[in-house]
Amino acid sequence: MAGSSPVLLDGDEWSSHFRNFESSAFRLEVHQQYTMPKEAESVRTFTAGEPRPGDFNTVWHQTIRNNAAAGRTMTRAKIVHRPLTNYTRYLLEWAIPGNVAAGEDYRILDLTDESNPGLPEQDFWMFDERIVVHLNYRADGTQINRELIQDPDIGQYLAWRDLAVERAVPFSAYRF
């Protein structure tokens, strides 16, 4: 509906999408830096060269495992550019391996030596090939909000997903 207010998601209304999707969840990650308050301490620990805590990301890993056990797929495509930012190194070394071990299909699309193949400059999650949520960030990587897109052009989002997945390599094959 033209002129309607954006629908912003937070708290349980947001996290319920990860519990309630029926078959698939896909995320396109385009930024090289995210500044998330709940990750600040673990990023600092990583950057300082300290060991990863044994309980790192266990809640998220359980979410992935629960979905995988129910036959629901979680796929992500992360765009990277070299030189890698500290945050991207943190993802590659600490976060992504646990996600993959828990059952997420995490792929890397390195665009260092090539131009963008037509993907948006917008992070988003797409649930069940019908629900799209934009993740909006400031230039420094601080999240502004999560916006449920009303009447998304699903064909376009599916094309972006397919292009990203086709061009990306599985995390296990990416050398950094």
Side-chain angles (χ1 to χ4, degrees):
M1 181 171 9
S4 64
S5 298
V7 176
L8 304 180
L9 302 175
D10 207 0
D12 190 61
E13 187 177 15
W14 167 239
S15 59
S16 70
H17 284 282
F18 297 96
R19 291 189 308 270
N20 300 331
F21 71 90
E22 296 170 8
S23 62
S24 66
F26 170 79
R27 169 137 184 219
L28 179 66
E29 288 184 0
V30 302
H31 297 283
Q32 304 309 295
Q33 175 69 38
Y34 295 93
T35 308
M36 306 298 288
K38 63 189 231 179
E39 290 181 337
E41 183 59 25
S42 60
V43 171
R44 185 208 61 75
T45 301
F46 167 80
T47 304
E50 297 175 25
R52 179 178 53 218
D55 64 349
F56 178 76
N57 243 1
T58 56
V59 172
W60 180 246
H61 296 157
Q62 189 59 52
T63 297
I64 296 168
R65 280 192 294 277
N66 291 346
N67 283 311
R72 297 185 294 261
T73 61
M74 296 181 74
T75 305
R76 214 182 293 220
K78 167 74 178 145
I79 294 174
V80 300
H81 301 276
R82 292 174 188 268
L84 301 175
T85 64
N86 281 341
Y87 187 86
T88 297
R89 287 182 36 256
Y90 159 78
L91 286 178
L92 295 171
E93 294 178 34
W94 273 29
I96 298 173
N99 291 9
V100 170
E104 185 172 11
D105 178 6
Y106 215 118
R107 296 169 174 267
I108 307 297
L109 177 53
D110 192 328
L111 294 180
T112 301
D113 297 322
E114 59 185 280
S115 60
N116 186 319
L119 294 168
E121 298 287 326
Q122 174 68 56
D123 279 51
F124 67 87
W125 276 100
M126 179 172 51
F127 300 95
D128 295 324
E129 299 185 347
R130 60 183 174 80
I131 298 168
V132 175
V133 178
H134 282 186
L135 307 171
N136 299 312
Y137 295 91
R138 292 185 181 90
D140 72 353
T142 303
Q143 191 171 75
I144 299 167
N145 58 35
R146 299 175 200 97
E147 180 182 356
L148 179 66
I149 302 304
Q150 303 294 314
D151 301 316
D153 178 352
I154 287 299
Q156 181 63 74
Y157 287 93
L158 291 170
W160 286 330
R161 178 204 59 195
D162 294 349
L163 177 62
V165 169
E166 174 186 308
R167 297 288 302 271
V169 298
F171 174 72
S172 63
Y174 184 67
R175 301 293 169 246
F176 55 98

